Amino acid sequence: MIKRTLFICSLVLLASCSTYNSIDTFYNAHKEDNHVTAVRVPRFMLSLIGNISPEMKSLVGNTRDLRYMSFPSTTAEKSEFLNKQMNGITGNSFIEVYRKNDELKRNVVSIREKRDAVKEILIYNNNNQNGSFLYFNGDFDPVKVRQMAQNEEFQKLGDGLINQYQGGSFTPGINEGNENEEK
């Protein structure tokens, strides 16, 4: 009985520690920061993102969760702090498929696999002025993910995602102005 209780307590402790360094934790910790742009795309809006390119349409069709965040990284201390946080997230559970380090600048593409499919994709960029991450959760073809990383298509997706949100194209049916005015 004591061994069983100790085993259950150990599992609970391990589960609580493993969720500390997660994309959810990072997203929730920084979405309220000053000068941060945070986008979490609802599932019903994912089809709109597919209009960026044919490659994105095939990728987004298998996506269950899509998040993008850009944040200021104007000091060496802030860049180092953000780099360490992202390293903590990807740590042992992600496989890095691409990494470029230049002093504190980072470009990293990491994936998490299950059997023959990629389940999560995390793209992190930090140029000592701005940092960003793009996160996908779904079922993806590993060959297509590798090709997209090599062709920098994930960066294009992040830029296109922000442009669509800022352009208002993700708010169909909502008109600016007073809806109650009689015509």
Side-chain angles (χ1 to χ4, degrees):
M1 181 72 172
I2 293 174
K3 287 182 181 181
R4 184 176 177 186
T5 304
L6 194 57
F7 177 73
I8 291 172
C9 289
S10 298
L11 285 178
V12 170
L13 180 62
L14 283 174
S16 66
C17 291
S18 66
T19 59
Y20 177 74
N21 287 327
S22 71
I23 202 67
D24 285 329
T25 303
F26 184 88
Y27 186 87
N28 290 329
H30 294 288
K31 69 182 180 183
E32 300 287 333
D33 291 354
N34 199 18
H35 302 290
V36 166
T37 301
V39 178
R40 186 167 187 183
V41 180
R43 287 183 80 170
F44 74 93
M45 289 185 169
L46 288 171
S47 63
L48 297 173
I49 295 171
N51 296 330
I52 294 172
S53 73
E55 294 82 12
M56 290 301 126
K57 185 173 186 130
S58 67
L59 180 70
V60 169
N62 298 319
T63 302
R64 289 186 294 274
D65 187 10
L66 175 61
R67 301 179 204 196
Y68 176 81
M69 181 179 280
S70 65
F71 35 82
S73 182
T74 54
T75 66
E77 294 80 21
K78 183 74 170 183
S79 292
E80 189 173 343
F81 172 72
L82 292 168
N83 291 345
K84 283 182 180 178
Q85 283 194 316
M86 276 298 158
N87 286 340
I89 291 170
T90 58
N92 295 328
S93 61
F94 279 79
I95 299 167
E96 285 185 7
V97 292
Y98 176 79
R99 175 181 277 269
K100 182 178 179 186
N101 296 337
D102 182 11
E103 306 266 334
L104 289 175
K105 296 178 183 178
R106 298 285 186 272
N107 293 327
V108 181
V109 177
S110 299
I111 62 170
R112 189 177 300 184
E113 296 177 310
K114 186 173 185 180
R115 295 189 186 103
D116 292 336
V118 173
K119 295 296 185 179
E120 294 177 78
I121 305 167
L122 179 62
I123 298 93
Y124 172 67
N125 293 300
N126 190 334
N127 64 9
N128 283 343
Q129 295 298 312
N130 295 297
S132 68
F133 80 81
L134 181 60
Y135 171 79
F136 293 89
N137 184 320
D139 292 310
F140 311 105
D141 177 13
V143 174
K144 183 174 239 27
V145 170
R146 187 177 315 113
Q147 289 172 343
M148 292 179 74
Q150 290 172 345
N151 297 333
E152 297 183 1
E153 292 183 48
F154 290 113
Q155 184 64 33
K156 294 174 192 172
L157 175 63
D159 296 341
L161 186 61
I162 291 302
N163 289 337
Q164 283 196 11
Y165 261 97
Q166 289 175 345
S169 63
F170 276 136
T171 55
I174 299 174
N175 298 323
E176 292 185 22
N178 190 351
E179 293 288 326
N180 296 327
E181 290 179 2
E182 290 190 40
K183 298 184 179 179

